[in-house]
Amino acid sequence: MMVRMRPEIHASMPEPAPLPGDGDVLRVLLRRRDAGSTPLGRSDPHRVALVVGGGGMRGSYAGGMVHALQDAGLNSGFDVVYGASAGAFVGAALLLGNGPEAARIFPDDMACRAFIDRRRFGTRRPMVSLDHLVDGILLRSRPTDWDALRDSPAPLRVMVTDPADLSPHVLTGLATAAEWQLAMRATAAIPLLTGPPVTLHGRRWIDGSIGDPLPVLRALQDGATHVLALLTRTVPELRRSHAAARAPWWARSLDVLVPGLGAMTQDVRRYAETLTLLSDAAHPHRDGVHVYPITPLSSAGVRGLTTDVPRVERASALGYEAAREALDSAGA
């Protein structure tokens, strides 16, 4: 028998508690900005990492956040940037000083059928076109300075997933423009949606957010003392339980190709470990380190394959507002 929750009870349910943030992360960034320090001339002992979440078109939230960080003059305050899937593109924009473009690329260049077209599903053409993303946008309409990205004193760590065991990895040794372009394809490659895995350095890779959508723990294990994490889901979306929900059609299809892949691409399963870390200020992995997550203030209704331009624009605006609110709280 289905039991329906009464509207008045539903309306009175408390909102999920915000994720606890350690303000020392923002204070260090602000001190670095005010001192005019760069990654090559730091005088403090800290290692500050930026971790950027992905999720396809949900990356528009992170794009708005990065825009706000650059407007506040904080883009040179990081020692390393980690990005998975769309987060890798957004992280690259920050390192290259293209924060405003990180916000505009989603509604202007990606919310279109040239990039995402459900009518292509089941045809010989991929539903999500990495050719449009890399060749059309990153090479032509918004060209990326690959040499500057390679030589950035704050490196970009591009996350990918090994399709054999779904383990997360960081791509290293990216020396040429061609290798960087393959890395960007690899971190966004989802079987069935974008085409086959991408081969780079003799190995096959798929979407980085499948194995580790928000590599906060990896950043800490790599030696970060401070981590600013940009999330592309609201707190209610992160905490919502899908335990009893039927897997979507695309997840079931992915499981046919690679057992377990469809399950891992669902939000709650992917974020569970990181969400536990972010939710508990007393978590063992947070002992002696500082972590500050920024989440969208509210939802614009954008999901991974959303192409509705007003919604995507709203997501970028919400991301900007969330980052601006966090910075205001730190006295920026």
Side-chain angles (χ1 to χ4, degrees), residues 81-114:
V81 175
Y82 295 79
S85 188
F89 302 99
V90 173
L94 178 84
L95 291 174
L96 295 175
N98 297 331
E101 288 199 358
R104 293 307 316 171
I105 190 174
F106 291 93
D108 291 353
D109 302 281
M110 297 171 66
C112 60
R113 283 183 171 171

Side-chain angles (χ1 to χ4, degrees), residues 207-229:
D207 192 305
S209 63
I210 292 172
D212 193 351
L214 196 72
V216 174
L217 180 56
R218 178 177 289 270
L220 295 175
Q221 292 173 336
D222 287 349
T225 60
H226 297 69
V227 176
L228 181 64

Side-chain angles (χ1 to χ4, degrees), residues 51-55 82-85 87 159 161 168 207-216 230-233 264 266-274:
V51 176
V52 189
Y82 295 79
S85 188
M159 299 297 302
T161 302
D207 192 305
S209 63
I210 292 172
D212 193 351
L214 196 72
V216 174
L230 308 184
L231 283 74
T232 59
R233 289 155 178 80
M264 287 194 70
Q266 295 179 70
D267 298 347
V268 169
R269 298 183 186 225
R270 291 187 299 158
Y271 274 91
E273 182 179 355
T274 301

Side-chain angles (χ1 to χ4, degrees), residues 266-290:
Q266 295 179 70
D267 298 347
V268 169
R269 298 183 186 225
R270 291 187 299 158
Y271 274 91
E273 182 179 355
T274 301
L275 183 57
T276 300
L277 171 64
L278 295 178
S279 300
D280 183 5
H283 192 283
H285 286 299
R286 292 180 66 161
D287 185 26
V289 297
H290 308 272

Side-chain angles (χ1 to χ4, degrees), residues 312-329:
V312 176
E313 288 182 326
R314 177 61 178 156
S316 293
L318 287 169
Y320 189 99
E321 292 169 13
R324 188 64 256 175
E325 182 176 278
L327 294 171
D328 289 344
S329 70

